Amino acid sequence: MELSLIVVPSIAALALLALKKGFLTVRGTVSAIVVGSAVAVVHMGLFLLLVAFFVSSSLLTRLRAEWKRAMGLKDVSGRSLRQVAGVGTPIAVFGLLYVATGDSRLLGAAAVAVAVANADTWASEVGVAYGGRPRHILAPWRTLEPGVSGGVTLVGTAASFAGALFIALFAQLLGVGGPLWKVAIFGYLGEVLDSVLGATLQIKYICNGKVSESPVAGCKRRGFLSNETVNLVSGLVVGTLFVITV
């Protein structure tokens, strides 16, 4: 209880600062306070991993911000409630299960979920900014518009692994998770799964052979998962695989 009296107000202050800087929307700020507080109560090391993800990802979001805004890439305007919940839910779920059971593998799964989120965000932000025209992850002979889920570039792939490794290294310093290589590899594989789900099951709109993620009148809708749901599923699946294979 004493810890929460210090930590929760601090999280609220950080979230409000992020709102002021444009890294979060108003509802995203509320969601960040809830998720951050839950994770901080579970384990301070895990919370610091979450902070590392949020800070690094928010800074990368600003890469070529004006160009991204002109392209209609929404993350430039700040992360919303659904985005924060999609990324934060797997981390909070594994963290709370760790508290309930005391099974250290679940704390490792929470760290992996952070690595997945970081790998996905670094891949998206760096790949979109500098990777050029992406190719479909399952059909590399096809090109997609920058920012369309399921598209990958060499630059984005390198950024993805770097993002997973960054969290794995930090987790080792904080004593959270399992072996460094395992957290890094599972984090990277989570981003690959995210891309595959994004390519196959995420909602898209097809019109005159072009693929868009924004609703367009007269275009055919395909898929049924939102981007946030894809993030949530990827984190839960890979975190569970981590627990099973430890």
Side-chain angles (χ1 to χ4, degrees):
M1 181 62 71
E2 292 180 1
L3 181 63
S4 65
L5 290 176
I6 299 172
V7 172
V8 174
S10 299
I11 292 171
L14 288 172
L16 290 172
L17 178 61
L19 172 64
K20 183 177 180 180
K21 294 293 185 180
F23 295 137
L24 292 168
T25 64
V26 173
R27 292 198 297 174
T29 300
V30 175
S31 183
I33 293 172
V34 172
V35 172
S37 298
V39 171
V41 170
V42 168
H43 195 285
M44 281 304 298
L46 183 61
F47 171 69
L48 292 175
L49 276 188
L50 190 60
V51 171
F53 153 67
F54 177 73
V55 172
S56 65
S57 298
S58 295
L59 293 175
L60 289 180
T61 297
R62 299 312 189 196
L63 290 175
R64 299 189 68 189
E66 291 304 320
W67 177 78
K68 289 178 182 177
R69 188 174 289 108
M71 291 287 292
L73 301 172
K74 4 175 231 268
D75 282 356
V76 176
S77 62
R79 283 170 168 73
S80 66
L81 183 152
R82 290 196 306 172
Q83 289 172 318
V84 173
V87 168
T89 297
I91 301 165
V93 166
F94 287 123
L96 292 173
L97 286 174
Y98 163 70
V99 171
T101 65
D103 189 338
S104 62
R105 295 177 301 170
L106 291 164
L107 183 60
V112 166
V114 179
V116 171
N118 205 57
D120 178 53
T121 306
W122 282 32
S124 298
E125 301 301 345
V126 178
V128 167
Y130 300 112
R133 197 170 183 85
R135 294 186 176 275
H136 195 289
I137 189 170
L138 298 178
W141 57 89
R142 289 173 50 195
T143 59
L144 298 171
E145 293 296 322
V148 173
S149 296
V152 296
T153 65
L154 289 176
V155 171
T157 299
S160 170
F161 186 75
L165 182 59
F166 170 73
I167 292 299
L169 287 168
F170 200 28
Q172 287 293 300
L173 292 175
L174 295 170
V176 180
L180 185 151
W181 68 268
K182 200 160 193 176
V183 174
I185 292 298
F186 272 83
Y188 172 70
L189 291 178
E191 194 280 324
V192 173
L193 174 61
D194 189 284
S195 294
V196 171
L197 292 176
T200 56
L201 300 180
Q202 188 168 324
I203 297 169
K204 295 185 180 65
Y205 298 87
I206 305 173
C207 194
N208 297 323
K210 292 185 177 181
V211 180
S212 171
E213 295 191 357
S214 301
V216 180
C219 291
K220 183 178 180 180
R221 173 173 162 161
R222 187 183 69 184
F224 59 92
L225 295 180
S226 67
N227 180 65
E228 294 78 21
T229 304
V230 168
N231 295 155
L232 188 152
V233 170
S234 299
L236 288 176
V237 168
V238 176
T240 300
L241 289 175
F242 176 85
V243 172
I244 294 172
T245 58
V246 169

